[in-house]
Amino acid sequence: MNSEPGIRPDLGDEPPDLRYAAYARNRLANMPPPADAEAFALAYHLLQLSYLLVTDLETRIHRPRGLTLAGFRLMFKLWLLGPTQPVRLAEISAMSRSAVTNVVNTLERGGLVERRPVPDDGRAVVVALTPEGEAAVREAFAEQARREREWFACLGPDERERMTALLSRILRARPADL
Amino acid sequence: MNSEPGIRPDLGDEPPDLRYAAYARNRLANMPPPADAEAFALAYHLLQLSYLLVTDLETRIHRPRGLTLAGFRLMFKLWLLGPTQPVRLAEISAMSRSAVTNVVNTLERGGLVERRPVPDDGRAVVVALTPEGEAAVREAFAEQARREREWFACLGPDERERMTALLSRILRARPADL
DNA sequence: TGAAGATCGTTATGGCCATAACAACTTTCA
DNA sequence: TGAAAGTTGTTATGGCCATAACGATCTTCA
């Protein structure tokens, strides 16, 4: 499995989460169905990477600037899309409307976004970046882009594209009854 | 890009999150560095898939059984590893110790795990599954394994393996200063 | 031996997110 | 036209997770 000859292929130098993953995969390989070692490994590595990336971006980039990752992601959407209704933001984020309310509340307290009434519909509001919010998202975006490059620098351009394509395929084939 | 001939390859049938992703990628492609449309697309699809998968497993499998995904994942580790110290669980989960305390509290209230003192060390405890906890993790595991298979059924076995290998590579190359 | 430092688990505080219930408003259609 | 049904945003409640600070305990080493 490990391909370095002359070096003992043990796992002593692996991070604890990868050591655990390898151990769990081996245990599952000896269990009867529906246990599925390959599906487990894929799901585990996917969730673990996502978790580490989120935590890294949050603690290293956004928290020091007084933002959160959720707040940044919402502001980034507003930056690209312009003023947008919460229900629309919830839709493209696959998030609940109340989650959007919470994030917008936090951003509004910080003066980064504002709510505006919609003339044609008394129920609706749009969320819009303030000038301070636009400056904040622009700066945080540059730093996040640099950090993402670092994370994926270990893959070649073709590998990055293949990976994105595989992820897209799974997303497109998502179970209908989400 | 789209491969069905005779059908207009527009995005009208895409879920809103993928429509947004495609739009954002195009916008980023026209921005100067450090903007990086490929790194953005990879990170976005990775986080989105992880989020949808987590939400799906949580709402469809674990919540109906009175569990949470975090609780299940902790119990699953105990199932494989046996009684384990919180500090060890935090390590392999790349989580804070206080997060482990919280999850263990919830599980302990439900009678699924118990804390036991460690004779040799007055500070330490181990967390262990109760018989009820063992039954719960066994049943939930079977259902989660089936659901994970469904999610990844759109990939061939070789594609699943390649994807797991790419994810592992990124995880192994994670920035040292996490 | 004993004081300084490290480690373990917990608590407090605060943000994110979900579901459920609700008020306000809009749309539908008999 | 007017009542029923649907939509929008918010609130309440509760779980997860982080950081910071803390008491208790263990280890180190002068």
Side-chain angles (χ1 to χ4, degrees):
Chain A
M1 195 72 82
N2 281 8
S3 52
E4 299 294 1
I7 296 180
R8 206 160 116 262
D10 73 355
L11 279 53
D13 55 343
E14 296 260 45
D17 54 343
L18 290 182
R19 276 175 56 92
Y20 164 73
Y23 174 73
R25 186 178 185 163
N26 285 340
R27 289 285 302 273
L28 291 192
N30 293 320
M31 293 185 192
D36 182 332
E38 299 311 316
F40 166 83
L42 179 47
Y44 179 89
H45 287 90
L46 178 71
L47 267 51
Q48 188 70 9
L49 175 56
S50 176
Y51 171 73
L52 290 180
L53 182 54
V54 162
T55 302
D56 179 58
L57 294 175
E58 179 122 23
T59 66
R60 168 176 273 266
I61 308 223
H62 299 299
R63 292 285 185 182
R65 297 174 158 275
L67 293 174
T68 63
L69 181 56
F72 168 75
R73 295 188 88 187
L74 194 145
M75 288 177 32
F76 184 74
K77 289 175 172 76
L78 296 180
W79 191 41
L80 294 185
L81 301 175
T84 306
Q85 289 188 27
V87 66
R88 215 55 58 210
L89 294 167
E91 210 171 75
I92 66 183
S93 311
M95 238 171 40
S96 69
R97 294 187 316 253
S98 73
V100 174
T101 294
N102 277 326
V103 175
V104 170
N105 282 344
T106 301
L107 291 172
E108 201 175 36
R109 273 199 302 276
L112 300 168
V113 304
E114 58 185 17
R115 290 173 163 97
R116 298 176 189 161
V118 172
D120 296 354
D121 191 332
R123 301 166 298 179
V125 300
V126 291
V127 186
L129 287 175
T130 62
E132 297 79 18
E134 222 231 80
V137 72
R138 196 186 291 278
E139 293 165 21
F141 165 68
E143 290 210 26
Q144 170 155 333
R146 277 188 278 266
R147 188 61 170 172
E148 285 169 351
R149 266 187 90 79
E150 288 180 30
W151 269 91
F152 301 132
C154 58
L155 303 187
D158 51 330
E159 290 172 318
R160 280 197 285 271
E161 267 180 46
R162 264 204 298 273
M163 183 146 170
T164 304
L166 289 171
L167 291 166
S168 299
R169 181 126 58 94
I170 303 173
L171 281 168
R172 223 178 309 274
R174 74 188 68 174
D177 52 345
L178 266 191
Chain B
M1 197 72 81
N2 282 9
S3 52
E4 300 292 3
I7 295 179
R8 205 160 117 262
D10 72 355
L11 279 53
D13 56 342
E14 295 260 45
D17 54 343
L18 290 181
R19 277 175 56 91
Y20 163 74
Y23 174 73
R25 185 177 184 164
N26 286 340
R27 289 284 302 271
L28 292 192
N30 293 321
M31 293 186 193
D36 183 332
E38 300 312 315
F40 167 83
L42 179 46
Y44 179 90
H45 287 90
L46 178 70
L47 267 50
Q48 189 69 10
L49 175 55
S50 176
Y51 171 73
L52 291 181
L53 182 54
V54 162
T55 302
D56 179 57
L57 294 175
E58 178 121 23
T59 67
R60 168 176 271 265
I61 308 218
H62 299 299
R63 291 286 185 181
R65 298 173 157 274
L67 293 175
T68 64
L69 180 57
F72 168 75
R73 295 188 89 187
L74 194 145
M75 287 181 15
F76 184 73
K77 290 176 173 75
L78 296 179
W79 191 41
L80 294 185
L81 302 175
T84 305
Q85 289 188 27
V87 67
R88 216 52 59 207
L89 293 167
E91 210 171 73
I92 66 184
S93 310
M95 237 171 40
S96 68
R97 289 176 319 210
S98 72
V100 173
T101 294
N102 278 326
V103 176
V104 169
N105 283 343
T106 301
L107 291 172
E108 200 175 36
R109 273 200 302 277
L112 299 168
V113 304
E114 58 186 17
R115 288 174 164 97
R116 297 176 190 160
V118 172
D120 297 353
D121 191 334
R123 300 165 300 178
V125 301
V126 291
V127 186
L129 288 175
T130 62
E132 298 80 18
E134 221 231 80
V137 72
R138 195 186 293 277
E139 293 165 21
F141 165 67
E143 290 210 26
Q144 170 154 333
R146 276 188 279 266
R147 189 60 171 171
E148 284 169 350
R149 265 186 91 78
E150 288 179 30
W151 269 91
F152 301 131
C154 58
L155 303 188
D158 52 329
E159 290 172 318
R160 280 197 285 272
E161 266 179 48
R162 263 203 297 275
M163 183 147 169
T164 304
L166 289 171
L167 292 166
S168 298
R169 180 126 58 94
I170 303 172
L171 281 168
R172 224 177 307 273
R174 75 187 67 174
D177 51 346
L178 266 190

